[in-house]
Amino acid sequence: MTERMPSPPSSPSSPPESSHGSMSDFDKRSNSTWFVSFAAAMVPFSAFCYGHHKGVTVRVLEKLAKTKGGVYAIFALPFLTLGME
């Protein structure tokens, strides 16, 4: 006797509701919610660009090169900036 594979369960007619709500709930958000996340990303980036334009980046690298750690202090700079974020 050949064994038959069980048939897959029938799919529901409508997808189950998510605990997070539906897409139409996103339309009911206030306009300030997107602005907070936008500002959280753009303010530090804009400050970095402005500082770079004013020559702060070069002064920081020169200062780090003259410190006790020397050029090796420059290697710590990416980790310091990531920590500031």
Side-chain angles (χ1 to χ4, degrees):
M1 175 176 230
T2 44
E3 293 184 28
R4 291 186 141 184
M5 296 287 288
S7 61
S10 60
S11 62
S13 59
S14 63
E17 281 295 317
S18 172
S19 62
H20 301 293
S22 63
M23 287 302 290
S24 63
D25 292 338
F26 288 114
D27 295 334
K28 296 175 183 138
R29 294 182 297 178
S30 66
N31 288 334
S32 64
T33 55
W34 70 267
F35 184 73
V36 171
S37 61
F38 176 78
M42 288 306 294
V43 168
F45 180 71
S46 299
F48 173 78
C49 290
Y50 180 75
H52 185 68
H53 176 70
K54 292 294 185 179
V56 175
T57 306
V58 174
R59 288 192 299 249
V60 166
L61 290 176
E62 287 174 352
K63 185 86 167 173
L64 282 173
K66 294 177 184 176
T67 60
K68 186 177 180 181
V71 178
Y72 297 108
I74 296 174
F75 293 134
L77 188 62
F79 299 105
L80 293 174
T81 56
L82 283 173
M84 288 176 8
E85 287 183 15

